[in-house]
Amino acid sequence: MEEEIDGNNVLAQALKQQGIEYVFGIVGIPVIELSMALQANGINYIGMRNEQAACYAAQAIGYLTGIPGACLVVSGPGLLHCTGGMANAQVNCWPLLVIGGSAPQDHEGIGGFQECNQVELSRPYCKYAARPPSVSLIPLHVEKAVRLTRVGRPGVAYLDFPGNLLQARVPSNTVPQQYVSNEVPVVYPDPRSIEQAVLLLMKAERPLVIVGKGSAYARAENEIRELISNTNLPFLATPMGKGVVPDNSPNSIAPARSLALLKADVVLLLGARLNWMLHFGRQPRYSSDVKIIQVDSYAEELNNSLKSAVAIQSDIKPAVRFIVDGLKKNNFRFDKNRNWWTTLNKKCEDNRKSVQATVMDTSPPLNYYTVFHHLQELLPENCLIVSEGANTMDIGRTMLLNNLPRHRLDAGTFGTMGVGPGFAIAAAFWCNKYEPNKRVICVEGDSAFGFSGMEIETMVRYKLPIIIVVVNNSGIYGGLDKETFEELQATDEATQSLPPTSLTFATRYENMMNLFGRTGHFCQTIPELQNAIKESLKVKDGPTIINVIISPTADRKAQTFNWLTESKL
């Protein structure tokens, strides 16, 4: 009798063949058997507590490895819960494959269980969305989906699997083996554009290099570090571009970010987009006559917000390599004694001094800066930092340093809250495989932690040694002191009196560890925080929670500009 195979195993084998190593998800009808088939075929399945968190974890492993993680969800609500994560990955340009179970085809149109038009609903959030029409064609669609997550601008693919397709059995010899497209084509720059970029940089009076997360994803750190060290050019990193060139490099002018953007006459943009995070490249955050050299592998991104002086379609590595060679050929090195460096260094020093007074204020209730300063002092070298929240994330970017690429994960371009625990779980699995001695530090605002806090159980279940630091100001942006909160809470119309930004005062998030027979840490002073960090670093078989209470009115230091460029319409 001819051997048969069902759709679950055809799909699992196709995913394995295409190099998928990690699947994060939540199972139920009709994908329970599929999750077991994945494990039987040697794929790591990680069960999560929320579909969004599963999707965040899958995309983070894709960013860290360059191979898409997969997210497995059930039909209807399961897939819909996942769309927030899909949109985040698509906007962040991270490779992600989402696999959704769906209602049996013979139940469509008559009110099937969790019936939902999932392919069309997914299409706005991904590059490719399809439902294989037969079991034998599953490998073809898996190959295409995985390939499209990686080529061009990385992004999301969705594959839809009705329950009857997964359960259907066909003769094994009718399922063709699908080829594997491991190589991602490299886009090389036009030599004439490189020449123009080199000439523009050499003539610049106030040059600036901006390093984006696209440079980190492209593994271009060696080329960009050579560019900075050979030329003495000042640089800024976007949040997840941190570490491509070490934050402690003398060429980093991060404390003078606003001034550098405002006064630069030539900006070399490497793997970053002129979106809201870089104020669109426009006035008043930039000079009216600034010249942008834009390097991006995606042609549609070139000249998107403004007309670049030089627009280079290229992968980052070859483009920077040719720019470095061109500058070397002309013996170019930007003098550290020039006025531009003098101005930037003075601004950096002034800003460091203004922060220092806040850092040294250790009196309770604590502030962000002193918490991050003392956290930085005790963190293991080159740990992976996951961060989210409003002030928690923004101030943390300036205080918690990265000296290696792809060692910071945060809310990213889409500004998504709730990503932290999922990202941290992915980072911990990455460490387990590639850097087993590294630690993952997940720094959360108390509001952000509330989105995905139950993923702490996932961390316990898989024994992931993640240190969660909740910087607790009892609110969104800011909260209320204890007396004011209790007074307003006690009124008959608390829904009218409690500010929309307030949360319960000093919630004891560390007590979540009690659910698992473990102990968390409650900190109101710097010695308590220091002890909590040291004790947490000793834990190697699961997560810890450090709940740090800070002033509800703690804020970032005053800035010349609002952090978000306002619309003028």
Side-chain angles (χ1 to χ4, degrees):
M1 186 175 178
E2 202 164 4
E3 185 178 352
E4 291 187 332
I5 187 171
D6 68 3
N8 290 308
N9 279 285
V10 170
L11 176 53
Q13 291 174 15
L15 292 168
K16 181 71 173 178
Q17 186 181 10
Q18 296 300 326
I20 301 299
E21 294 185 81
Y22 297 94
V23 177
F24 302 82
I26 297 179
V27 298
I29 297 171
V31 297
I32 296 174
E33 292 81 5
L34 174 57
S35 64
M36 297 175 181
L38 294 171
Q39 292 179 318
N41 282 277
I43 294 174
N44 299 297
Y45 177 79
I46 300 96
M48 305 284 284
R49 300 303 302 268
N50 178 280
E51 287 91 355
Q52 281 194 3
C55 200
Y56 297 143
Q59 63 195 257
I61 206 77
Y63 171 69
L64 292 169
T65 65
I67 305 296
C71 179
L72 176 64
V73 295
V74 300
S75 50
L79 186 277
L80 289 173
H81 288 169
C82 195
T83 52
M86 294 169 70
N88 188 71
Q90 187 73 353
V91 174
N92 260 357
C93 309
W94 287 0
L96 166 69
L97 174 62
V98 176
I99 300 166
S102 59
Q105 289 162 301
D106 57 321
H107 291 179
E108 290 180 346
I110 56 173
F113 175 67
Q114 295 184 331
E115 181 185 350
C116 186
N117 193 356
Q118 294 173 192
V119 174
E120 291 306 313
L121 286 170
S122 300
R123 208 177 297 280
Y125 310 108
C126 58
K127 297 173 67 176
Y128 179 68
R131 171 190 286 182
S134 68
V135 171
S136 297
L137 288 175
I138 288 174
L140 182 148
H141 286 274
V142 169
E143 185 283 325
K144 184 173 183 179
V146 172
R147 172 164 46 88
L148 292 186
T149 65
R150 302 179 65 201
V151 299
R153 171 172 281 179
V156 185
Y158 172 69
L159 291 178
D160 192 69
F161 292 94
N164 61 300
L165 183 67
L166 293 173
Q167 296 161 11
R169 303 184 67 83
V170 297
S172 298
N173 61 9
T174 65
V175 181
Q177 289 292 307
Q178 192 61 43
Y179 59 83
V180 180
S181 303
N182 280 331
E183 296 300 320
V184 176
V186 177
V187 180
Y188 283 83
D190 183 337
R192 293 170 297 179
S193 297
I194 295 295
E195 290 175 7
Q196 292 170 1
V198 168
L199 288 173
L200 201 53
L201 286 168
M202 291 175 59
K203 292 178 182 178
E205 292 291 326
R206 300 178 302 280
L208 176 66
V209 178
I210 298 179
V211 182
K213 74 170 175 286
S215 296
Y217 181 79
R219 274 67 177 166
E221 54 267 23
N222 292 337
E223 290 77 8
I224 295 176
R225 291 181 181 198
E226 184 179 354
L227 169 70
I228 299 301
S229 64
N230 283 358
T231 62
N232 249 338
L233 290 171
F235 79 92
L236 287 172
T238 65
M240 281 188 276
K242 286 163 61 70
V244 172
V245 183
D247 281 346
N248 62 11
S249 164
N251 290 71
S252 171
I253 45 88
R257 183 182 190 271
S258 293
L259 177 69
L261 296 179
L262 180 63
K263 298 295 185 181
D265 62 350
V266 174
V267 173
L268 175 59
L269 196 64
L270 300 175
R273 289 166 283 177
L274 290 176
N275 54 24
W276 68 273
M277 296 187 79
L278 288 175
H279 313 289
F280 314 106
R282 299 177 182 179
Q283 295 178 278
R285 301 304 295 261
Y286 293 77
S287 169
S288 60
D289 58 354
V290 66
K291 295 179 174 61
I292 305 289
I293 303 168
Q294 191 178 9
V295 183
D296 201 292
S297 61
Y298 192 63
E300 286 82 348
E301 188 61 42
L302 301 175
N303 303 303
N304 190 40
S305 178
L306 50 76
K307 180 71 170 69
S308 297
V310 184
I312 304 173
Q313 184 190 8
S314 174
D315 283 309
I316 302 297
K317 284 170 69 80
V320 176
R321 177 76 269 152
F322 288 129
I323 290 172
V324 168
D325 291 345
L327 293 171
K328 272 186 180 178
K329 184 179 177 181
N330 289 278
N331 297 313
F332 172 77
R333 188 169 176 82
F334 195 73
D335 192 345
K336 276 274 190 177
N337 294 316
R338 292 179 68 168
N339 288 339
W340 182 226
W341 263 119
T342 302
T343 301
L344 291 173
N345 284 332
K346 182 179 184 305
K347 186 64 174 177
C348 285
E349 187 59 29
D350 289 347
N351 282 347
R352 288 190 187 103
K353 287 179 180 177
S354 70
V355 169
Q356 191 64 22
T358 309
V359 163
M360 299 313 295
D361 179 9
T362 61
S363 58
L366 301 172
N367 66 75
Y368 287 103
Y369 292 91
T370 193
V371 167
F372 288 136
H373 171 76
H374 290 89
L375 179 60
Q376 174 68 38
E377 284 191 325
L378 292 175
L379 287 183
E381 186 176 8
N382 295 325
C383 58
L384 274 80
I385 299 173
V386 179
S387 183
E388 65 169 332
N391 292 335
T392 298
M393 181 173 62
D394 294 338
I395 299 171
R397 289 166 177 166
T398 67
M399 301 294 292
L400 302 177
L401 304 183
N402 293 91
N403 291 326
L404 291 177
R406 299 172 297 281
H407 278 55
R408 175 174 289 269
L409 302 169
D410 72 16
T413 310
F414 210 36
T416 307
M417 290 296 103
V419 297
F423 282 3
I425 288 168
F429 277 106
W430 182 89
C431 287
N432 283 351
K433 180 170 182 179
Y434 298 101
E435 298 276 358
N437 294 321
K438 282 195 173 176
R439 296 302 296 266
V440 176
I441 314 297
C442 183
V443 185
E444 298 275 301
D446 51 327
S447 171
F449 182 65
F451 282 78
S452 306
M454 274 313 301
E455 295 303 333
I456 191 78
E457 188 275 330
T458 307
M459 300 174 192
V460 170
R461 192 172 358 120
Y462 292 106
K463 299 183 177 181
L464 302 176
I466 297 165
I467 298 175
I468 299 174
V469 181
V470 180
V471 184
N472 189 345
N473 71 347
S474 305
I476 303 169
Y477 301 108
L480 300 172
D481 61 77
K482 186 175 188 293
E483 292 75 17
T484 305
F485 174 78
E486 290 179 349
E487 178 184 338
L488 295 177
Q489 186 189 36
T491 65
D492 292 335
E493 296 182 340
T495 56
Q496 297 291 312
S497 59
L498 279 173
T501 56
S502 66
L503 299 173
T504 302
F505 180 79
T507 300
R508 299 296 297 263
Y509 296 107
E510 81 284 354
N511 286 337
M512 291 178 70
M513 295 307 305
N514 296 345
L515 299 171
F516 313 102
R518 301 178 180 223
T519 303
H521 303 274
F522 181 74
C523 307
Q524 294 176 292
T525 67
I526 290 303
E528 289 172 343
L529 173 63
Q530 292 170 325
N531 180 69
I533 297 166
K534 292 173 184 176
E535 290 299 313
S536 296
L537 287 169
K538 296 176 184 177
V539 179
K540 301 295 177 66
D541 64 344
T544 56
I545 297 177
I546 301 174
N547 185 19
V548 188
I549 305 302
I550 68 169
S551 169
T553 59
D555 202 350
R556 70 188 85 194
K557 70 181 185 66
Q559 301 180 76
T560 305
F561 292 99
N562 289 329
W563 68 273
L564 182 62
T565 301
E566 300 296 334
S567 171
K568 296 299 182 287
L569 298 179

